[in-house]
Structure formats: structure tokens, C-alpha cells
Amino acid sequence: AKCVDIALSSCTDVAYTQTMYPNFLDQKSREVIEYSSEYILISVLHNLLQGECNPDLRLLGCSVLAPQCEKDKVIKPCRHVCENLKKNCLPAFDAIDMAWPYFLDCDRFFAGEEEGCFDPLAKLRGEVDVEEDLPSDLPGTFIQFKHHSYSQMVSMLKKTASKCSHIATTYSIGRSFEGKDLFVIEFSTKPGHHELLKPEFKYIGNMHGNEVVGKELLIYLAQYLCSEYLLGNPRIQTLINNTRIHLLPSLNPDGYELAAEEGAGYNGWVIGRQTAQNLDLNRNFPDLTSEAYRRAGIRGARLDHIPIPQSYWWGK
């Protein structure tokens, strides 16, 4: 057996490029994997768990279905990564009365560090960047203002959620056209759980990929909410204790990366504005205002629950 390129659509964003068949489940080809129940499950876990523990679970599943291969030798994923994720994600499985997937058996398909293993979630922690030497007398709540690449943004959101794990968590609402997860950080007294009658609030930034200020402000807002809550800021504690807050810094990470490649001052207003599907997200909402005016002229028509008109879906 030799290393081959990964060609599974749900595993295109793993931190390595080659795998080997058969895999740990003795599935002997890409076609066999794509029709398997295990592959279908990792494709729908996002919806089943309502975004919780993803994309972590998907990447963990990919490390078993399409394990890393180097120099025609397969490498097992690390057992401690599986065990930590299982510990954090079991409540989400319990909530829908679902057992932990058998093919994510931490003892059977994973290896200890002493055996030589790889971390399938390393990419979620962001690229290793050279950190600037900052003055040692800075407070622990210091926020460094700079632009964040996609991987740096993911890393910062996860670090912030880890720092305030009792009031914060991260999740993905799906993936961009080029496979980047759309990461949200949530602040609540019960992060990851809907609470009846508690108001919910969301901020979304970076709809236009080359309009970056909103993206950075939401990254900084997440850090601010975490730090100020820990410092005992009564206003911030009241907000988080009484509201479920969702921050999605980048709705268009594909466009952002394209604009960033051109560089500030070099790209026109068009480069990176739209998605990789050539959609302007800020112009892609149904016009419910016109529908409301139309319905206002209909006797007895409700205006508090307006269905999206069928005409909106035409050609989309």
C-alpha cells in the first residue's frame, strides 16, 4: 500500500494531504468509504448535535476514515485527543440519546504519544505564529490589536472560550464553499444550551470579505467580554448572566483570505467582497419588507410571522 491524496469531500480541510487504503475500518477504497454509514454519520453529526463539538468531531472521524500517511506508512491519531473530546462531547450525545460512535473508540483506533501519533485537531489551534515580545508588566486582560488570518481567528476564539470555559463555548454553523468552518463563540451561564425565555442575541461580521473592521471588532469583543467577566465588571456580568450572546466574526472567510492575499492598499473594492460562489451575502436576504407591505393590504393577514415568499427561491 502507498500514500494517496485525500479525495473525501468531508475531509478536505484536515491538516495533512495524504492517506492510505485500507483504513482502520478495513475499507479498501475512497468509494467504499463514501458509501459507508460511518462517513455519512460524520457528515450529518453537525446537524444532529446542532453545531456542538464540530468541526472537532468531523476531523476526529476523518483521522480514522482517512488516517495520515507519510512515506507509505500510516500514522494513528493521538488517544488523548480522542479522550478529551469524548469527555467534552458526551453531554451533547446524551442530549439526543445517541451513543458515542464505535469507530471513534479511543482505545481501538488511536495511539499513545510514545507510539508516535498525530493530533487531528492541531489545525483548529491555528498556525504557529512568531509572537511579538510584549512588556512583562502588561495586565492579563491586555488585548493586542492586529489583523487575524482565518487560522489565527479560530485559535483566538478557542483560546478565549477555554479561558472562560464556564461561560463560553465555540461551535460551527456550517462550512464555507471552500471548506472553512464558520465559527461562533457563545457567551452564556449555560454555554451550549438553550434556556427557555432567556433572550438571545447575535452579531455577524465580515459579510463582505474585504470589509474587515467588523470581523476584528467581534474578535476583540469576545476577548473583552471574557476578561471583564473574570474581573467582575458588573455590567458585563449582568449581560452574560441574563442573555445568550453569539458572535460570528467572519461569515465570509473565503473572501477575507482572497482580499488579504492582495494586501491592504492593493486590492480594489471588488476583490474578496463576494464569496467563492460569487454571492454578495449582504444582498442575499429575502425582501420581507416588500412582502410585509403586500400582506398589509390583505384583510386578516398576519404580519408577525411572514413566510419567505416562493419567488425568493427561484433560481437559487
Side-chain angles (χ1 to χ4, degrees):
K2 293 184 178 295
C3 294
V4 296
D5 291 338
I6 297 173
L8 298 169
S9 58
S10 291
C11 302
T12 55
D13 58 339
V14 294
Y16 49 95
T17 59
Q18 292 198 311
T19 187
M20 179 184 285
Y21 304 117
N23 61 17
F24 297 141
L25 305 182
D26 201 33
Q27 296 164 333
K28 294 179 171 58
S29 68
R30 175 179 63 83
E31 291 78 14
V32 172
I33 294 174
E34 287 181 335
Y35 283 101
S36 69
S37 58
E38 295 86 3
Y39 183 76
I40 294 172
L41 180 59
I42 69 167
S43 302
V44 300
L45 270 177
H46 167 81
N47 291 324
L48 289 174
L49 300 179
Q50 298 183 351
E52 289 192 55
C53 293
N54 276 287
D56 310 57
L57 276 171
R58 176 173 56 78
L59 295 177
L60 193 72
C62 287
S63 72
V64 174
L65 298 178
Q68 183 176 354
C69 183
E70 289 184 0
K71 298 179 180 179
D72 297 330
K73 181 180 179 182
V74 72
I75 306 173
K76 283 190 173 184
C78 293
R79 183 175 296 116
H80 74 272
V81 175
C82 177
E83 291 171 341
N84 289 338
L85 191 60
K86 182 177 181 180
K87 178 182 177 181
N88 293 330
C89 297
L90 269 181
F93 282 90
D94 291 340
I96 61 172
D97 293 324
M98 180 178 174
W100 182 256
Y102 86 91
F103 63 93
L104 298 183
D105 186 326
C106 301
D107 293 323
R108 184 177 177 188
F109 301 115
F110 296 78
E113 290 185 86
E114 69 281 356
E115 303 172 65
C117 63
F118 74 97
D119 181 353
L121 307 185
K123 194 171 183 179
L124 296 181
R125 299 179 179 90
E127 298 167 350
V128 178
D129 299 302
V130 178
E131 297 288 342
E132 297 180 27
D133 291 329
L134 300 174
S136 58
D137 58 346
L138 288 174
T141 55
F142 176 76
I143 296 175
Q144 187 176 12
F145 290 88
K146 64 177 183 178
H147 285 288
H148 295 80
S149 67
Y150 172 77
S151 60
Q152 290 169 338
M153 176 192 74
V154 171
S155 176
M156 185 57 68
L157 294 180
K158 284 190 167 284
K159 285 179 181 177
T160 302
S162 176
K163 182 178 178 182
C164 288
S165 58
H166 59 304
I167 57 162
T169 188
T170 58
Y171 63 91
S172 168
I173 64 167
R175 301 171 73 191
S176 72
F177 186 71
E178 293 183 344
K180 299 180 182 70
D181 278 280
L182 306 176
F183 267 99
V184 178
I185 185 168
E186 172 200 332
F187 291 91
S188 168
T189 50
K190 293 184 178 179
H193 298 279
H194 172 76
E195 295 180 75
L196 190 64
L197 300 182
K198 175 177 274 192
E200 304 205 26
F201 179 86
K202 68 177 178 180
Y203 263 143
I204 297 174
N206 205 203
M207 283 189 181
H208 290 153
N210 61 353
E211 296 175 4
V212 301
V213 175
K215 168 175 175 269
E216 299 303 327
L217 285 176
L218 291 187
I219 295 173
Y220 300 139
L221 178 58
Q223 296 175 74
Y224 177 81
L225 290 174
C226 172
S227 295
E228 291 298 303
Y229 193 97
L230 295 179
L231 289 172
N233 183 322
R235 181 166 182 249
I236 299 304
Q237 290 192 340
T238 298
L239 280 173
I240 293 176
N241 291 343
N242 295 283
T243 316
R244 192 180 182 199
I245 301 169
H246 308 261
L247 307 179
L248 170 57
S250 182
L251 188 60
N252 187 3
D254 298 343
Y256 175 84
E257 295 289 293
L258 183 62
E261 286 178 12
E262 294 286 322
Y266 294 95
N267 63 313
W269 68 275
V270 174
I271 302 297
R273 176 184 175 89
Q274 299 179 320
T275 67
Q277 286 178 289
N278 204 32
L279 290 174
D280 186 336
L281 294 179
N282 201 35
R283 306 290 190 275
N284 200 40
F285 294 94
D287 183 6
L288 294 185
T289 302
S290 297
E291 182 69 5
Y293 279 121
R294 187 189 71 79
R295 293 170 66 87
I298 302 174
R299 188 179 183 86
R302 293 182 63 176
L303 295 179
D304 54 343
H305 290 80
I306 302 176
I308 295 176
Q310 285 298 315
S311 58
Y312 169 75
W313 300 109
W314 181 253
K316 293 186 172 64

